[in-house]
Amino acid sequence: MTYGAGEGPRGPGDSNVADYKLILRRVLDNRPSGTRLKLAAALGKNRSFVTQITNPAYLVPIPAKHVSIIFEICHLSGAERAAFLEAYGRAHPGRLRAPHREAHTRTVTVTVPDLGDDKKNRALEQLVVDFAAQLARYAESVG
């Protein structure tokens, strides 16, 4: 038996893993450039990890603890979330112990200097966003 690139013998749940990864990949394909990098930073992983969790050919599952962060960073619509959670539940029954809750968020405005360069300004903004996300995760874990 021969397999295509990135494929191997697949079990019955494997198509469900591919299903939710395909949903996530479609979502990311329709988001602004930089979203994959932002997701990698929020997950504390490198960009190749995001490639693996969005490629249906790789059967590496998405850890349940990452699902809410993915929803937060990628801004999935209600239909996209429902489809993702349904496929995730088929692939990994019982892994998401509680139904996903919508995160309660607040917007905080921060004034930063204009660095005079669009690339530098975007990098600074991303640092602030990443720091805020890490701080929020820390606060949730201790409180």
Side-chain angles (χ1 to χ4, degrees):
M1 181 176 284
T2 58
Y3 301 104
E7 293 185 0
R10 293 180 178 224
D14 296 344
S15 66
N16 294 319
V17 171
D19 288 348
Y20 72 73
K21 287 184 172 200
L22 189 59
I23 293 165
L24 182 56
R25 183 167 68 181
R26 285 184 190 141
V27 166
L28 283 169
D29 287 347
N30 291 313
R31 297 302 180 264
S33 67
T35 303
R36 282 177 168 80
L37 191 57
K38 184 178 177 182
L39 179 57
L43 295 172
K45 304 290 185 181
N46 58 36
R47 197 166 187 275
S48 66
F49 178 78
V50 174
T51 299
Q52 288 181 357
I53 66 170
T54 59
N55 188 336
Y58 293 109
L59 298 179
V60 176
I62 296 176
K65 66 182 180 179
H66 293 332
V67 172
S68 63
I69 296 168
I70 290 169
F71 287 176
E72 177 186 336
I73 300 298
C74 299
H75 305 288
L76 277 75
S77 70
E80 291 166 336
R81 284 178 191 232
F84 181 93
L85 289 171
E86 196 269 327
Y88 193 93
R90 282 193 321 264
H92 314 295
R95 192 170 288 176
L96 291 176
R97 291 174 204 70
H100 175 73
R101 294 180 286 122
E102 186 68 34
H104 297 284
T105 61
R106 297 181 321 123
T107 300
V108 177
T109 303
V110 178
T111 303
V112 296
D114 184 337
L115 302 176
D117 176 84
D118 286 343
K119 187 175 180 179
K120 288 180 181 178
N121 283 335
R122 282 192 305 273
L124 178 59
E125 290 169 14
Q126 191 61 53
L127 282 171
V128 171
V129 168
D130 293 344
F131 177 71
Q134 289 176 343
L135 198 58
R137 284 194 300 278
Y138 173 77
E140 286 177 355
S141 71
V142 296

PDB file of all heavy atoms in Angstrom, residues 41-69:
ATOM      1  N   ALA A  41       2.310  33.091  18.576  1.00  0.00           N
ATOM      2  CA  ALA A  41       2.766  33.811  19.766  1.00  0.00           C
ATOM      3  C   ALA A  41       1.806  33.595  20.934  1.00  0.00           C
ATOM      4  O   ALA A  41       2.241  33.369  22.072  1.00  0.00           O
ATOM      5  CB  ALA A  41       2.909  35.299  19.460  1.00  0.00           C
ATOM      6  N   ALA A  42       0.515  33.646  20.678  1.00  0.00           N
ATOM      7  CA  ALA A  42      -0.474  33.464  21.753  1.00  0.00           C
ATOM      8  C   ALA A  42      -0.416  32.053  22.336  1.00  0.00           C
ATOM      9  O   ALA A  42      -0.658  31.865  23.527  1.00  0.00           O
ATOM     10  CB  ALA A  42      -1.875  33.760  21.226  1.00  0.00           C
ATOM     11  N   LEU A  43      -0.084  31.075  21.488  1.00  0.00           N
ATOM     12  CA  LEU A  43       0.028  29.696  21.953  1.00  0.00           C
ATOM     13  C   LEU A  43       1.380  29.403  22.588  1.00  0.00           C
ATOM     14  O   LEU A  43       1.573  28.339  23.176  1.00  0.00           O
ATOM     15  CB  LEU A  43      -0.210  28.725  20.785  1.00  0.00           C
ATOM     16  CG  LEU A  43      -1.610  28.733  20.172  1.00  0.00           C
ATOM     17  CD1 LEU A  43      -1.637  27.870  18.911  1.00  0.00           C
ATOM     18  CD2 LEU A  43      -2.655  28.276  21.178  1.00  0.00           C
ATOM     19  N   GLY A  44       2.315  30.337  22.430  1.00  0.00           N
ATOM     20  CA  GLY A  44       3.663  30.116  22.942  1.00  0.00           C
ATOM     21  C   GLY A  44       4.421  29.093  22.114  1.00  0.00           C
ATOM     22  O   GLY A  44       5.267  28.368  22.636  1.00  0.00           O
ATOM     23  N   LYS A  45       4.103  29.012  20.830  1.00  0.00           N
ATOM     24  CA  LYS A  45       4.705  28.035  19.921  1.00  0.00           C
ATOM     25  C   LYS A  45       5.333  28.773  18.747  1.00  0.00           C
ATOM     26  O   LYS A  45       5.151  29.973  18.582  1.00  0.00           O
ATOM     27  CB  LYS A  45       3.639  27.059  19.380  1.00  0.00           C
ATOM     28  CG  LYS A  45       2.852  26.334  20.448  1.00  0.00           C
ATOM     29  CD  LYS A  45       3.703  25.320  21.164  1.00  0.00           C
ATOM     30  CE  LYS A  45       2.873  24.521  22.157  1.00  0.00           C
ATOM     31  NZ  LYS A  45       3.670  23.560  22.879  1.00  0.00           N
ATOM     32  N   ASN A  46       6.051  28.019  17.910  1.00  0.00           N
ATOM     33  CA  ASN A  46       6.590  28.651  16.705  1.00  0.00           C
ATOM     34  C   ASN A  46       5.605  28.487  15.552  1.00  0.00           C
ATOM     35  O   ASN A  46       4.621  27.756  15.650  1.00  0.00           O
ATOM     36  CB  ASN A  46       7.983  28.098  16.353  1.00  0.00           C
ATOM     37  CG  ASN A  46       7.980  26.604  16.151  1.00  0.00           C
ATOM     38  OD1 ASN A  46       7.039  26.043  15.627  1.00  0.00           O
ATOM     39  ND2 ASN A  46       9.045  25.955  16.586  1.00  0.00           N
ATOM     40  N   ARG A  47       5.882  29.184  14.454  1.00  0.00           N
ATOM     41  CA  ARG A  47       4.950  29.209  13.327  1.00  0.00           C
ATOM     42  C   ARG A  47       4.760  27.823  12.708  1.00  0.00           C
ATOM     43  O   ARG A  47       3.697  27.510  12.187  1.00  0.00           O
ATOM     44  CB  ARG A  47       5.439  30.211  12.276  1.00  0.00           C
ATOM     45  CG  ARG A  47       4.368  30.600  11.296  1.00  0.00           C
ATOM     46  CD  ARG A  47       4.789  31.827  10.498  1.00  0.00           C
ATOM     47  NE  ARG A  47       3.709  32.295   9.675  1.00  0.00           N
ATOM     48  CZ  ARG A  47       3.439  31.821   8.463  1.00  0.00           C
ATOM     49  NH1 ARG A  47       4.162  30.865   7.951  1.00  0.00           N
ATOM     50  NH2 ARG A  47       2.431  32.315   7.765  1.00  0.00           N
ATOM     51  N   SER A  48       5.769  26.965  12.781  1.00  0.00           N
ATOM     52  CA  SER A  48       5.631  25.628  12.203  1.00  0.00           C
ATOM     53  C   SER A  48       4.573  24.802  12.950  1.00  0.00           C
ATOM     54  O   SER A  48       3.919  23.947  12.358  1.00  0.00           O
ATOM     55  CB  SER A  48       6.975  24.894  12.180  1.00  0.00           C
ATOM     56  OG  SER A  48       7.426  24.639  13.486  1.00  0.00           O
ATOM     57  N   PHE A  49       4.382  25.084  14.239  1.00  0.00           N
ATOM     58  CA  PHE A  49       3.324  24.407  14.990  1.00  0.00           C
ATOM     59  C   PHE A  49       1.961  24.775  14.417  1.00  0.00           C
ATOM     60  O   PHE A  49       1.091  23.914  14.254  1.00  0.00           O
ATOM     61  CB  PHE A  49       3.396  24.775  16.475  1.00  0.00           C
ATOM     62  CG  PHE A  49       2.312  24.144  17.311  1.00  0.00           C
ATOM     63  CD1 PHE A  49       2.396  22.823  17.704  1.00  0.00           C
ATOM     64  CD2 PHE A  49       1.207  24.887  17.712  1.00  0.00           C
ATOM     65  CE1 PHE A  49       1.406  22.234  18.478  1.00  0.00           C
ATOM     66  CE2 PHE A  49       0.199  24.314  18.477  1.00  0.00           C
ATOM     67  CZ  PHE A  49       0.302  22.985  18.863  1.00  0.00           C
ATOM     68  N   VAL A  50       1.774  26.053  14.091  1.00  0.00           N
ATOM     69  CA  VAL A  50       0.510  26.499  13.503  1.00  0.00           C
ATOM     70  C   VAL A  50       0.310  25.815  12.153  1.00  0.00           C
ATOM     71  O   VAL A  50      -0.808  25.403  11.816  1.00  0.00           O
ATOM     72  CB  VAL A  50       0.452  28.032  13.381  1.00  0.00           C
ATOM     73  CG1 VAL A  50      -0.795  28.483  12.641  1.00  0.00           C
ATOM     74  CG2 VAL A  50       0.498  28.665  14.777  1.00  0.00           C
ATOM     75  N   THR A  51       1.379  25.655  11.384  1.00  0.00           N
ATOM     76  CA  THR A  51       1.282  24.944  10.109  1.00  0.00           C
ATOM     77  C   THR A  51       0.806  23.512  10.347  1.00  0.00           C
ATOM     78  O   THR A  51      -0.064  23.009   9.626  1.00  0.00           O
ATOM     79  CB  THR A  51       2.636  24.949   9.380  1.00  0.00           C
ATOM     80  OG1 THR A  51       3.002  26.303   9.114  1.00  0.00           O
ATOM     81  CG2 THR A  51       2.588  24.162   8.089  1.00  0.00           C
ATOM     82  N   GLN A  52       1.345  22.848  11.346  1.00  0.00           N
ATOM     83  CA  GLN A  52       0.952  21.463  11.637  1.00  0.00           C
ATOM     84  C   GLN A  52      -0.501  21.354  12.084  1.00  0.00           C
ATOM     85  O   GLN A  52      -1.202  20.428  11.678  1.00  0.00           O
ATOM     86  CB  GLN A  52       1.848  20.860  12.706  1.00  0.00           C
ATOM     87  CG  GLN A  52       3.235  20.551  12.226  1.00  0.00           C
ATOM     88  CD  GLN A  52       4.089  19.925  13.314  1.00  0.00           C
ATOM     89  OE1 GLN A  52       3.653  19.778  14.463  1.00  0.00           O
ATOM     90  NE2 GLN A  52       5.310  19.563  12.962  1.00  0.00           N
ATOM     91  N   ILE A  53      -0.948  22.281  12.909  1.00  0.00           N
ATOM     92  CA  ILE A  53      -2.323  22.170  13.421  1.00  0.00           C
ATOM     93  C   ILE A  53      -3.362  22.665  12.421  1.00  0.00           C
ATOM     94  O   ILE A  53      -4.549  22.516  12.661  1.00  0.00           O
ATOM     95  CB  ILE A  53      -2.516  22.866  14.787  1.00  0.00           C
ATOM     96  CG1 ILE A  53      -2.354  24.372  14.687  1.00  0.00           C
ATOM     97  CG2 ILE A  53      -1.615  22.246  15.840  1.00  0.00           C
ATOM     98  CD1 ILE A  53      -2.773  25.131  15.941  1.00  0.00           C
ATOM     99  N   THR A  54      -2.918  23.237  11.293  1.00  0.00           N
ATOM    100  CA  THR A  54      -3.876  23.677  10.275  1.00  0.00           C
ATOM    101  C   THR A  54      -3.761  22.864   8.997  1.00  0.00           C
ATOM    102  O   THR A  54      -4.457  23.152   8.030  1.00  0.00           O
ATOM    103  CB  THR A  54      -3.688  25.170   9.941  1.00  0.00           C
ATOM    104  OG1 THR A  54      -2.352  25.383   9.467  1.00  0.00           O
ATOM    105  CG2 THR A  54      -3.971  26.042  11.136  1.00  0.00           C
ATOM    106  N   ASN A  55      -2.911  21.861   8.995  1.00  0.00           N
ATOM    107  CA  ASN A  55      -2.730  21.039   7.802  1.00  0.00           C
ATOM    108  C   ASN A  55      -3.429  19.700   8.006  1.00  0.00           C
ATOM    109  O   ASN A  55      -3.002  18.891   8.832  1.00  0.00           O
ATOM    110  CB  ASN A  55      -1.245  20.824   7.529  1.00  0.00           C
ATOM    111  CG  ASN A  55      -1.005  20.140   6.200  1.00  0.00           C
ATOM    112  OD1 ASN A  55      -1.852  19.440   5.674  1.00  0.00           O
ATOM    113  ND2 ASN A  55       0.181  20.351   5.656  1.00  0.00           N
ATOM    114  N   PRO A  56      -4.503  19.435   7.248  1.00  0.00           N
ATOM    115  CA  PRO A  56      -5.249  18.185   7.409  1.00  0.00           C
ATOM    116  C   PRO A  56      -4.417  16.935   7.121  1.00  0.00           C
ATOM    117  O   PRO A  56      -4.768  15.847   7.558  1.00  0.00           O
ATOM    118  CB  PRO A  56      -6.395  18.301   6.400  1.00  0.00           C
ATOM    119  CG  PRO A  56      -6.499  19.747   6.084  1.00  0.00           C
ATOM    120  CD  PRO A  56      -5.141  20.329   6.274  1.00  0.00           C
ATOM    121  N   ALA A  57      -3.302  17.077   6.414  1.00  0.00           N
ATOM    122  CA  ALA A  57      -2.452  15.918   6.128  1.00  0.00           C
ATOM    123  C   ALA A  57      -1.690  15.456   7.365  1.00  0.00           C
ATOM    124  O   ALA A  57      -1.286  14.296   7.442  1.00  0.00           O
ATOM    125  CB  ALA A  57      -1.474  16.249   5.003  1.00  0.00           C
ATOM    126  N   TYR A  58      -1.471  16.349   8.330  1.00  0.00           N
ATOM    127  CA  TYR A  58      -0.796  15.986   9.570  1.00  0.00           C
ATOM    128  C   TYR A  58      -1.846  15.588  10.594  1.00  0.00           C
ATOM    129  O   TYR A  58      -2.764  16.351  10.864  1.00  0.00           O
ATOM    130  CB  TYR A  58       0.023  17.158  10.122  1.00  0.00           C
ATOM    131  CG  TYR A  58       1.202  17.535   9.280  1.00  0.00           C
ATOM    132  CD1 TYR A  58       1.203  18.714   8.554  1.00  0.00           C
ATOM    133  CD2 TYR A  58       2.330  16.720   9.212  1.00  0.00           C
ATOM    134  CE1 TYR A  58       2.292  19.076   7.774  1.00  0.00           C
ATOM    135  CE2 TYR A  58       3.421  17.075   8.443  1.00  0.00           C
ATOM    136  CZ  TYR A  58       3.401  18.240   7.721  1.00  0.00           C
ATOM    137  OH  TYR A  58       4.462  18.595   6.961  1.00  0.00           O
ATOM    138  N   LEU A  59      -1.692  14.428  11.166  1.00  0.00           N
ATOM    139  CA  LEU A  59      -2.696  13.932  12.102  1.00  0.00           C
ATOM    140  C   LEU A  59      -2.427  14.339  13.542  1.00  0.00           C
ATOM    141  O   LEU A  59      -3.084  13.856  14.455  1.00  0.00           O
ATOM    142  CB  LEU A  59      -2.806  12.413  11.978  1.00  0.00           C
ATOM    143  CG  LEU A  59      -3.272  11.953  10.596  1.00  0.00           C
ATOM    144  CD1 LEU A  59      -3.333  10.445  10.528  1.00  0.00           C
ATOM    145  CD2 LEU A  59      -4.624  12.566  10.252  1.00  0.00           C
ATOM    146  N   VAL A  60      -1.472  15.244  13.746  1.00  0.00           N
ATOM    147  CA  VAL A  60      -1.194  15.760  15.082  1.00  0.00           C
ATOM    148  C   VAL A  60      -2.440  16.515  15.550  1.00  0.00           C
ATOM    149  O   VAL A  60      -2.866  17.481  14.918  1.00  0.00           O
ATOM    150  CB  VAL A  60       0.026  16.713  15.058  1.00  0.00           C
ATOM    151  CG1 VAL A  60       0.267  17.325  16.423  1.00  0.00           C
ATOM    152  CG2 VAL A  60       1.256  15.988  14.544  1.00  0.00           C
ATOM    153  N   PRO A  61      -3.064  16.074  16.663  1.00  0.00           N
ATOM    154  CA  PRO A  61      -4.282  16.749  17.117  1.00  0.00           C
ATOM    155  C   PRO A  61      -3.979  18.110  17.728  1.00  0.00           C
ATOM    156  O   PRO A  61      -2.880  18.373  18.203  1.00  0.00           O
ATOM    157  CB  PRO A  61      -4.848  15.799  18.174  1.00  0.00           C
ATOM    158  CG  PRO A  61      -3.669  15.055  18.678  1.00  0.00           C
ATOM    159  CD  PRO A  61      -2.701  14.938  17.521  1.00  0.00           C
ATOM    160  N   ILE A  62      -4.965  18.951  17.718  1.00  0.00           N
ATOM    161  CA  ILE A  62      -4.864  20.243  18.395  1.00  0.00           C
ATOM    162  C   ILE A  62      -5.180  20.002  19.865  1.00  0.00           C
ATOM    163  O   ILE A  62      -6.248  19.471  20.191  1.00  0.00           O
ATOM    164  CB  ILE A  62      -5.841  21.271  17.795  1.00  0.00           C
ATOM    165  CG1 ILE A  62      -5.487  21.559  16.336  1.00  0.00           C
ATOM    166  CG2 ILE A  62      -5.838  22.551  18.625  1.00  0.00           C
ATOM    167  CD1 ILE A  62      -6.452  22.488  15.634  1.00  0.00           C
ATOM    168  N   PRO A  63      -4.269  20.362  20.769  1.00  0.00           N
ATOM    169  CA  PRO A  63      -4.553  20.174  22.196  1.00  0.00           C
ATOM    170  C   PRO A  63      -5.795  20.962  22.622  1.00  0.00           C
ATOM    171  O   PRO A  63      -5.998  22.105  22.196  1.00  0.00           O
ATOM    172  CB  PRO A  63      -3.293  20.720  22.885  1.00  0.00           C
ATOM    173  CG  PRO A  63      -2.210  20.605  21.851  1.00  0.00           C
ATOM    174  CD  PRO A  63      -2.911  20.865  20.537  1.00  0.00           C
ATOM    175  N   ALA A  64      -6.612  20.357  23.452  1.00  0.00           N
ATOM    176  CA  ALA A  64      -7.857  20.989  23.905  1.00  0.00           C
ATOM    177  C   ALA A  64      -7.602  22.342  24.558  1.00  0.00           C
ATOM    178  O   ALA A  64      -8.397  23.270  24.394  1.00  0.00           O
ATOM    179  CB  ALA A  64      -8.589  20.060  24.868  1.00  0.00           C
ATOM    180  N   LYS A  65      -6.471  22.464  25.271  1.00  0.00           N
ATOM    181  CA  LYS A  65      -6.187  23.724  25.952  1.00  0.00           C
ATOM    182  C   LYS A  65      -5.964  24.881  24.980  1.00  0.00           C
ATOM    183  O   LYS A  65      -6.040  26.039  25.376  1.00  0.00           O
ATOM    184  CB  LYS A  65      -4.976  23.579  26.879  1.00  0.00           C
ATOM    185  CG  LYS A  65      -3.672  23.324  26.149  1.00  0.00           C
ATOM    186  CD  LYS A  65      -2.524  23.134  27.114  1.00  0.00           C
ATOM    187  CE  LYS A  65      -1.225  22.881  26.368  1.00  0.00           C
ATOM    188  NZ  LYS A  65      -0.103  22.726  27.267  1.00  0.00           N
ATOM    189  N   HIS A  66      -5.706  24.578  23.716  1.00  0.00           N
ATOM    190  CA  HIS A  66      -5.464  25.625  22.722  1.00  0.00           C
ATOM    191  C   HIS A  66      -6.738  26.109  22.028  1.00  0.00           C
ATOM    192  O   HIS A  66      -6.722  27.153  21.366  1.00  0.00           O
ATOM    193  CB  HIS A  66      -4.488  25.144  21.652  1.00  0.00           C
ATOM    194  CG  HIS A  66      -3.101  24.897  22.148  1.00  0.00           C
ATOM    195  ND1 HIS A  66      -2.537  25.561  23.223  1.00  0.00           N
ATOM    196  CD2 HIS A  66      -2.145  24.047  21.707  1.00  0.00           C
ATOM    197  CE1 HIS A  66      -1.304  25.130  23.419  1.00  0.00           C
ATOM    198  NE2 HIS A  66      -1.047  24.208  22.518  1.00  0.00           N
ATOM    199  N   VAL A  67      -7.827  25.374  22.165  1.00  0.00           N
ATOM    200  CA  VAL A  67      -9.046  25.692  21.421  1.00  0.00           C
ATOM    201  C   VAL A  67      -9.561  27.099  21.738  1.00  0.00           C
ATOM    202  O   VAL A  67      -9.862  27.878  20.831  1.00  0.00           O
ATOM    203  CB  VAL A  67     -10.133  24.620  21.640  1.00  0.00           C
ATOM    204  CG1 VAL A  67     -11.466  25.053  21.036  1.00  0.00           C
ATOM    205  CG2 VAL A  67      -9.681  23.286  21.038  1.00  0.00           C
ATOM    206  N   SER A  68      -9.656  27.463  22.999  1.00  0.00           N
ATOM    207  CA  SER A  68     -10.197  28.787  23.341  1.00  0.00           C
ATOM    208  C   SER A  68      -9.267  29.902  22.850  1.00  0.00           C
ATOM    209  O   SER A  68      -9.742  30.955  22.425  1.00  0.00           O
ATOM    210  CB  SER A  68     -10.463  28.911  24.839  1.00  0.00           C
ATOM    211  OG  SER A  68      -9.258  28.791  25.569  1.00  0.00           O
ATOM    212  N   ILE A  69      -7.959  29.675  22.889  1.00  0.00           N
ATOM    213  CA  ILE A  69      -7.014  30.678  22.379  1.00  0.00           C
ATOM    214  C   ILE A  69      -7.176  30.827  20.873  1.00  0.00           C
ATOM    215  O   ILE A  69      -7.170  31.946  20.346  1.00  0.00           O
ATOM    216  CB  ILE A  69      -5.564  30.294  22.751  1.00  0.00           C
ATOM    217  CG1 ILE A  69      -5.390  30.296  24.272  1.00  0.00           C
ATOM    218  CG2 ILE A  69      -4.563  31.236  22.088  1.00  0.00           C
ATOM    219  CD1 ILE A  69      -4.096  29.668  24.756  1.00  0.00           C
TER     220      ILE A  69
END
